[in-house]
Amino acid sequence: MPFHRYARDAAAPTSGWSRRWPDGTLDRSPIWASVDLRDGNQALADPMDTRRKQRMFDLLVATGFKDIEIGYPAASAHDFDFVRKLVVKEGIPDDVTVSVFTPARADLIERTFEAIRGAERAVVHLCHATACLWREVVFGMSAREVVGMAVKGAQHLVRLAEREPGTDIRFEYSPETFNLTEPELALEIANRVAEVVDATAERPLTLNLPTTVETHSPHVFADQVEWMHRNLDRREAVVLSVHPHNDRGTAVASAELALLAGADRVEGTLFGNGERTGNVCLVTLALNMFSSGVDPQLDLSDIHTVREIVEDCNRLPVHPRHPYAGDLVYTAFSGTHQDAIAKGLAALADRAEREGKDVGELPWQVPYLPIDPKDVGRDYQAIIRVNGQSGKGGINYVLKAGWGVDLPVELRRDFAAVVQAAADALGRELEPPEIWQLLRETYGLDDSPALPAGTDEHEVLGHLGAEHGVAFTRVHFTGTPAATGAPATCLVALEAGGRTLWGLGQADTTTDAAHRSARSALRRAGLHEGAR
Ligand SMILES: CC(=O)SCCNC(=O)CCNC(=O)[C@H](O)C(C)(C)COP(=O)(O)OP(=O)(O)OC[C@H]1O[C@@H](n2cnc3c(N)ncnc32)[C@H](O)[C@@H]1OP(=O)(O)O
Ligand SMILES: CC(C)C(=O)C(=O)O
């Protein structure tokens, strides 16, 4: 492949400084800013209509976003009308600040201000590209002219804001393609814009640094962000924001390293919708914080509903392997993972019982599961699914979860081989009822009539053993499979002809269950009437 076509110098500060971000820690959540209704929306084949926009906005508010970009009003009538709807109908909660996006073009800036007329407060977000390729190819401008574009655009914002005294208007500025822009130029432009809008600590400028097209590994972006953070003229008057895209698949890492490097705010979307490969996924970022013991400041405790709404609004599915939210992310098919998960859950349950607590109160420590699925509203139902890759631990987990049946340790390997053979033969996953059915078929369910009252299982097994000249070497009572309506389940093993044969029985009493399981075992050994 012609890799030599892609040689690319990093537009990163190279000399005269040393990075500090590797020593940082992520110990608090950033300001979360959703751009679902702008950057997400502009990337959809069918941009959102009013119903979907309103649904997305309501979800963002309910989830706890305080900073929401509600559109690009000059782009389309839909965008303009939705902004007007929220503004005119006073549909913006008091603790939420909305922003509107505009390119640095006079007519579009003016239209943007029309859209927010009458709002209590709003942020106007000015943006244009600054990198060399865009300067030359898109604008046909020199670096100086692009600085002029930023300054002129910012001046225009300030002038128009002065004409709206009833609205508290603040500004955001994005040097689009920041990651490909010479750092000194990006710094100069940012300083000039901060100066034009007279940013102060009380009325800060949001300076948003995008990886518009992600081109380098995250550590390069972290260097760029830290260098800006340390060199801005009015750092105290700037909310330093980042806006990572995901072209290299590393938007989450870029955002996390940028936070180490001094960023205060992250712009992104739910589940990462956005141009090309998307924006950084804020759900992943927030739950990464959560899973490290940091308050994510967003309520994602019902991830399924969040996902369902986002899928409806974007008309795009969330991938089954999407971190924290995908259908398969709390599921193990492979035997060793299943074994470890089952042991981890059992250890937690034991500890909870010993300490008289609910599992939800204990620190989460289960191998292969980074968080408790219940913390995001998922259950343990699909944690373990069985196919030809599965093992005895997982199969036992399914029987226990679905039927209360905990196989004796000696039997698990035996039954796992049966399940594996069935899964391999079918070439697919086995559903839990199929596994239960296999257990019944393999070890036989006997329906011998109930024994007279007063008989106990030792008596029964002793008598049957003597009658057939075998020894029952193991009796195992297990939990009650509620779904079957049988209060007692028993598995017994007998030794015959150098083999161990197990039988399964269910009945209303333990004695009858033992009796039936013994008869099943005998039948399997060919020692009982009706033997197969
Ligand atoms: C990084 C981002 O996500 S930016 C947001 C992008 N969002 C969208 O594109 C969705 C909304 N749609 C648009 O923006 C449209 O393209 C509109 C509303 C600007 C309509 O633009 P049109 O007048 O039809 O122009 P068109 O899209 O063909 O070309 C864009 C023009 O704007 C210029 N331009 C591009 N970006 C900017 C900018 N940020 N600021 C100022 N001018 C810009 C281009 O150089 C080009 O100018 P030219 O006509 O002199 O060559
Ligand atoms: C508006 C800017 C921040 C943007 O969307 C980008 O550069 O990707």
Side-chain angles (χ1 to χ4, degrees):
M1 291 182 72
F3 60 88
H4 51 276
R5 299 187 67 208
Y6 298 94
R8 206 179 253 141
D9 288 335
T14 49
S15 60
W17 81 299
S18 59
R19 59 181 69 82
R20 296 180 192 145
W21 59 262
D23 295 329
T25 44
L26 282 183
D27 51 11
R28 71 196 150 93
S29 293
I31 301 166
W32 300 116
S34 155
V35 293
D36 290 88
L37 288 159
R38 196 276 303 171
D39 206 337
N41 188 51
Q42 78 189 34
L44 297 176
D46 301 322
M48 291 181 232
D49 53 24
T50 308
R51 178 194 72 81
R52 286 148 69 209
K53 280 195 163 104
Q54 185 68 52
R55 200 164 186 226
M56 176 67 84
F57 181 76
D58 293 344
L59 171 69
L60 294 167
V61 170
T63 305
F65 283 92
K66 306 295 176 207
D67 198 335
I68 304 175
E69 191 161 82
I70 54 173
Y72 175 169
S76 76
H78 271 309
D79 273 43
F80 187 90
D81 292 347
F82 182 66
V83 174
R84 289 308 297 155
K85 177 174 181 261
L86 288 185
V87 169
V88 173
K89 295 208 167 145
E90 299 181 346
I92 304 163
D94 289 344
D95 60 350
V96 171
T97 300
V98 297
S99 59
V100 282
F101 175 91
T102 179
R105 226 171 79 181
D107 56 333
L108 302 179
I109 293 176
E110 277 155 28
R111 180 82 171 144
T112 307
F113 274 81
E114 273 173 46
I116 56 166
R117 184 151 300 141
E120 208 176 300
R121 66 181 177 286
V123 172
V124 178
H125 178 184
L126 175 74
C127 169
H128 60 83
T130 53
C132 185
L133 180 64
W134 275 254
R135 296 194 306 260
E136 290 179 2
V137 173
V138 183
F139 300 143
M141 285 183 181
S142 67
R144 287 300 99 209
E145 285 169 318
V146 166
V147 177
M149 187 181 197
V151 169
K152 219 169 119 197
Q155 287 168 338
H156 201 165
L157 297 194
V158 172
R159 261 197 318 279
L160 292 183
E162 281 167 358
R163 290 190 209 151
E164 308 291 338
T167 304
D168 178 4
I169 297 177
R170 299 206 184 169
F171 307 108
E172 173 172 345
Y173 173 71
S174 296
E176 188 197 335
T177 62
F178 161 78
N179 57 315
L180 291 170
T181 304
E182 304 85 325
E184 295 73 14
L185 181 67
L187 183 67
E188 179 188 347
I189 295 178
N191 283 335
R192 294 291 300 278
V193 171
E195 191 186 312
V196 172
V197 304
D198 193 19
T200 61
E202 293 69 40
R203 299 185 60 75
L205 166 73
T206 298
L207 174 64
N208 184 46
L209 306 178
T211 60
T212 304
V213 181
E214 189 181 50
T215 48
H216 292 92
S217 68
H219 74 281
V220 174
F221 185 52
D223 281 355
Q224 293 168 328
V225 171
E226 182 176 330
W227 190 82
M228 293 290 283
H229 165 62
R230 284 166 55 187
N231 288 290
L232 281 167
D233 285 348
R234 302 187 185 206
R235 178 62 185 93
E236 75 297 341
V238 163
V239 174
L240 193 59
S241 177
V242 291
H243 177 113
H245 276 272
N246 197 37
D247 299 81
R248 303 177 77 253
T250 54
V252 167
S254 290
E256 290 184 341
L257 298 196
L259 291 173
L260 295 178
D264 310 305
R265 177 180 183 271
V266 180
E267 283 190 0
T269 57
L270 299 175
F271 306 115
N273 176 45
E275 295 281 9
R276 306 176 305 282
T277 51
N279 287 73
V280 67
C281 170
L282 297 183
V283 171
T284 305
L285 271 180
L287 290 174
N288 280 354
M289 297 264 170
F290 173 75
S291 67
S292 314
V294 175
D295 182 351
Q297 305 279 341
L298 291 178
D299 182 357
L300 297 164
S301 57
D302 181 2
I303 199 80
H304 187 74
T305 300
V306 174
R307 193 182 105 181
E308 183 270 309
I309 295 174
V310 173
E311 287 181 327
D312 170 51
C313 294
N314 290 341
R315 295 191 176 151
L316 283 176
V318 169
H319 196 279
R321 301 264 177 220
H322 192 99
Y324 303 107
D327 278 342
L328 293 179
V329 299
Y330 304 106
T331 296
F333 289 100
S334 60
T336 53
H337 292 209
Q338 296 177 333
D339 172 61
I341 290 170
K343 286 174 179 160
L345 288 173
L348 260 193
D350 283 355
R351 180 171 164 193
E353 199 176 318
R354 271 198 318 277
E355 296 182 15
K357 290 181 176 161
D358 191 83
V359 167
E361 296 171 77
L362 297 177
W364 178 253
Q365 282 189 329
V366 174
Y368 298 108
L369 289 179
I371 64 166
D372 185 345
K374 290 192 175 168
D375 285 338
V376 288
R378 298 277 290 260
D379 57 29
Y380 298 157
Q381 202 79 38
I383 266 184
I384 285 174
R385 288 169 53 181
V386 171
N387 62 18
Q389 301 284 316
S390 305
K392 57 184 172 30
I395 293 163
N396 195 59
Y397 179 90
V398 168
L399 288 173
K400 202 168 165 189
W403 285 269
V405 170
D406 193 10
L407 296 183
V409 175
E410 310 91 295
L411 182 57
R412 288 181 195 172
R413 192 175 301 282
D414 193 59
F415 185 52
V418 173
V419 172
Q420 247 175 4
D424 282 345
L426 291 167
R428 62 164 174 81
E429 176 186 3
L430 295 182
E431 297 295 330
E434 293 179 296
I435 297 169
W436 172 240
Q437 188 55 29
L438 263 184
L439 185 81
R440 293 171 53 121
E441 283 169 10
T442 307
Y443 301 108
L445 267 181
D446 185 275
D447 57 359
S448 305
L451 291 162
T455 327
D456 74 15
E457 63 254 22
H458 302 292
E459 211 177 310
V460 172
L461 295 179
H463 174 73
L464 283 175
E467 186 183 329
H468 296 280
V470 295
F472 290 102
T473 51
R474 182 87 161 85
V475 182
H476 175 88
F477 290 104
T478 169
T480 302
T484 66
T489 301
C490 182
L491 284 140
V492 299
L494 67 76
E495 303 297 326
R499 289 194 303 156
T500 307
L501 289 158
W502 288 86
L504 173 68
Q506 288 188 315
D508 289 341
T509 66
T510 51
T511 306
D512 286 339
H515 177 213
R516 287 177 172 176
S517 56
R519 288 192 178 280
S520 292
L522 286 167
R523 181 179 297 123
R524 294 190 67 221
L527 295 172
H528 180 56
E529 67 280 4
R532 281 169 277 166

